[in-house]
Amino acid sequence: MLFKFSSRNIILAVIVVALPTTILLADKPFFGEKISTFLGSEPLKLTLQFLVITVLGGLFSAFLMARKEQDARDDTKRKENQARRDTRIANLQALDEKLAEAHRQMKSSKRRLRSRLDRTDPKRPTIAKSDFEECMDQLLAAQIAVEEVEDLIATRRDLIKKSDMSLIDEPLRYAARYLHDVFEDFEKGKVTREADRFTLDEAAARNLYDFLMTPPVPGMIAAQRDIIKDEHQTYEDRRKALGIVEEHRPRFGKVALECMRLASSELKHLIDAELMQDERSTLG
């Protein structure tokens, strides 16, 4: 097309039409009615009416076109924002699902191991080598999954604001390090192998023993765990509780589970916030 209809082009056309209109209107004061004498009074009136109508119509058309263009820009911006929100929600949901899968693997590994323990000697339970190694592989997969979520959250600042990260990355760090400690007991041979069975000793493999037997945790740690799991506690109180348990060694499985639940809960809160914004945008 030689002429593209846009507010800018229409305004240019109006300016072009406005020039001869101005000249005709200035006929009497500036040109001594020479144009009127040349064209005749009636043709001059008709020409002026046509030009004025054209100018006014052009200005109105330019206004409508400008509104239409602004609406189109606003619509494009809304669609781009919606696409970004949809992508962010999908990525957050993928992280939460990965964390949920790690949580399921952790619980499955623990239940399978506990169901296969021979507790003839309660202080030194034993388990078949094949069962133990299979469950340790599952536990390692859970640890790697938690670490992957932790790494993604640390590097994808477009997903989670820095102000929202403390109740996600700190709990994930604790859970990942706990699972690492448990697997390390196996990796470093702290469980005794006797023929086709492994023997678990609390003193030698404290982290594995905690994972399987879930002994009571110290009162101070239990109190901090209760603060971590209580959604009615303030953000700062839960952060403080996380700091306290993180400083304590060894780590505890009961706290690690609450940390994973807390991180997942915070991810869901972020997802819900994005979905609520979508609803407000739709209603708006």
Side-chain angles (χ1 to χ4, degrees), residues 147-263:
E147 289 177 345
E148 286 178 354
V149 174
E150 183 185 2
D151 290 343
L152 282 169
I153 288 173
T155 56
R156 292 290 303 275
R157 295 303 172 88
D158 58 316
L159 288 180
I160 301 175
K161 298 176 183 177
K162 190 175 181 180
S163 58
D164 296 328
M165 287 182 63
S166 294
L167 291 185
I168 299 177
D169 63 345
E170 290 179 21
L172 287 178
R173 188 180 304 113
Y174 186 97
R177 295 312 301 170
Y178 172 77
L179 294 175
H180 174 271
D181 293 344
V182 173
F183 187 80
E184 193 174 50
D185 280 357
F186 168 65
E187 191 176 36
K188 291 188 173 181
K190 293 182 179 181
V191 285
T192 305
R193 180 178 173 182
E194 298 173 356
D196 62 346
R197 300 188 71 80
F198 282 104
T199 300
L200 189 63
D201 184 275
E202 182 179 7
R206 186 268 158 204
N207 298 302
L208 260 170
Y209 192 89
D210 174 82
F211 178 70
L212 289 176
M213 309 305 291
T214 57
V217 299
M220 183 269 290
I221 297 298
Q224 304 310 312
R225 180 200 61 196
D226 291 342
I227 292 174
I228 291 170
K229 69 189 292 187
D230 186 357
E231 291 189 0
H232 296 97
Q233 293 287 339
T234 66
Y235 182 87
E236 285 304 319
D237 285 344
R238 296 173 92 182
R239 277 197 63 195
K240 185 178 178 181
L242 282 166
I244 292 172
V245 297
E246 177 57 38
E247 291 175 359
H248 190 280
R249 295 294 182 277
R251 298 179 177 90
F252 296 92
K254 290 180 179 179
V255 176
L257 280 173
E258 289 306 326
C259 283
M260 292 179 74
R261 292 190 183 109
L262 173 58

Side-chain angles (χ1 to χ4, degrees), residues 27-240:
D27 178 35
K28 185 174 182 179
F30 291 99
F31 300 105
E33 298 186 344
K34 291 181 179 179
I35 299 175
S36 177
T37 302
F38 178 75
L39 293 177
S41 70
E42 282 303 317
L44 179 62
K45 285 182 181 179
L46 292 174
T47 302
L48 275 173
Q49 289 174 357
F50 171 76
L51 291 174
V52 169
I53 291 171
T54 301
V55 170
L56 294 177
L59 290 173
F60 183 67
S61 298
F63 171 75
L64 293 179
M65 184 63 71
R67 287 289 302 274
K68 184 178 180 180
E69 290 170 353
Q70 184 60 49
D71 289 344
R73 286 193 293 270
D74 291 343
D75 187 54
T76 299
K77 187 175 181 180
R78 279 194 296 269
K79 289 179 179 178
E80 289 173 351
N81 290 338
Q82 181 64 51
R84 281 194 291 270
R85 280 198 297 272
D86 289 345
T87 300
R88 184 166 183 260
I89 290 170
N91 288 332
L92 288 171
Q93 288 173 333
L95 287 177
D96 188 42
E97 179 55 36
K98 195 174 188 67
L99 187 58
E101 178 60 26
H103 186 247
R104 286 191 292 269
Q105 288 177 319
M106 180 179 174
K107 292 181 68 175
S108 173
S109 173
K110 181 175 182 175
R111 286 180 178 176
R112 290 180 62 191
L113 283 170
R114 285 171 64 88
S115 68
R116 289 163 172 76
L117 278 178
D118 181 348
R119 308 188 196 200
T120 304
D121 182 352
K123 294 184 178 181
R124 287 174 57 83
T126 66
I127 186 171
K129 173 180 176 295
S130 58
D131 289 335
F132 189 73
E133 290 177 343
E134 186 177 343
C135 288
M136 285 296 99
D137 287 342
Q138 191 175 21
L139 186 68
L140 178 61
Q143 176 204 331
I144 292 172
V146 174
E147 289 177 345
E148 286 178 354
V149 174
E150 183 185 2
D151 290 343
L152 282 169
I153 288 173
T155 56
R156 292 290 303 275
R157 295 303 172 88
D158 58 316
L159 288 180
I160 301 175
K161 298 176 183 177
K162 190 175 181 180
S163 58
D164 296 328
M165 287 182 63
S166 294
L167 291 185
I168 299 177
D169 63 345
E170 290 179 21
L172 287 178
R173 188 180 304 113
Y174 186 97
R177 295 312 301 170
Y178 172 77
L179 294 175
H180 174 271
D181 293 344
V182 173
F183 187 80
E184 193 174 50
D185 280 357
F186 168 65
E187 191 176 36
K188 291 188 173 181
K190 293 182 179 181
V191 285
T192 305
R193 180 178 173 182
E194 298 173 356
D196 62 346
R197 300 188 71 80
F198 282 104
T199 300
L200 189 63
D201 184 275
E202 182 179 7
R206 186 268 158 204
N207 298 302
L208 260 170
Y209 192 89
D210 174 82
F211 178 70
L212 289 176
M213 309 305 291
T214 57
V217 299
M220 183 269 290
I221 297 298
Q224 304 310 312
R225 180 200 61 196
D226 291 342
I227 292 174
I228 291 170
K229 69 189 292 187
D230 186 357
E231 291 189 0
H232 296 97
Q233 293 287 339
T234 66
Y235 182 87
E236 285 304 319
D237 285 344
R238 296 173 92 182
R239 277 197 63 195
K240 185 178 178 181

